[in-house]
Amino acid sequence: MTRPVLGVIACNRMVGTESAQAVMDRYIRAAMTYADVAALIVPSLADLMTAAEVAPRLDGILLTGSPSNVATTRYGEEGGEGPFDNARDEIALSMVNRMIDAQKPVFGICRGFQEINVALGCTLRRDT
């Protein structure tokens, strides 16, 4: 029997002087171990792919925690403290909507909960 395939949204990070797509190992290991899924990293490269291309190929998605914040403009506010990851925002928010429309599971951890909330049209409370 084939295990379900869980997409795990990557963050944009700097590794040395290069930009990289990154997911902390703890998130992937936990999902694969305790949910018994195969995992694929979904790059946050909104200029090269869309959620519409990726969502049909996945059985669910995991939106992980991250040092970055959802950009305040995504929920109708200004300012806010970064760091921000606009490319992750684009992929993650559109993936949430695509997966929900397809009635597929969406899991969030920390920043992931915030992404789900914003994708569904809500706002976030910022600590100032």
Side-chain angles (χ1 to χ4, degrees):
M1 185 169 152
T2 305
R3 295 186 295 169
V5 178
L6 180 69
V8 183
I9 305 296
C11 296
N12 288 285
R13 301 262 175 90
M14 291 302 292
V15 176
T17 59
E18 287 192 65
S19 182
Q21 297 297 301
V23 176
M24 301 305 284
D25 194 58
R26 67 180 176 260
Y27 295 120
I28 294 175
R29 285 188 173 278
M32 293 179 80
T33 301
Y34 299 108
D36 193 26
V37 297
L40 293 175
I41 296 174
V42 176
S44 291
L45 297 171
D47 58 325
L48 297 174
M49 66 176 220
T50 66
E53 296 173 293
V54 178
R57 297 179 167 114
L58 300 173
D59 296 305
I61 59 164
L62 173 61
L63 305 150
T64 67
S66 174
S68 65
N69 295 315
V70 176
T72 55
T73 56
R74 299 283 181 172
Y75 52 94
E77 293 193 21
E78 295 179 13
E81 291 188 29
F84 299 113
D85 186 342
N86 290 316
R88 175 171 164 157
D89 289 349
E90 184 66 30
I91 292 295
L93 300 180
S94 58
M95 283 294 292
V96 168
N97 289 314
R98 288 283 177 169
M99 297 302 278
I100 289 172
D101 288 347
Q103 298 182 348
K104 295 180 180 181
V106 177
F107 303 97
I109 300 170
C110 198
R111 184 192 206 273
F113 287 134
Q114 296 172 27
E115 290 166 328
I116 294 167
N117 196 57
V118 172
L120 296 176
C122 300
T123 62
L124 300 176
R125 177 179 168 232
R126 296 189 339 238
D127 291 333
T128 55

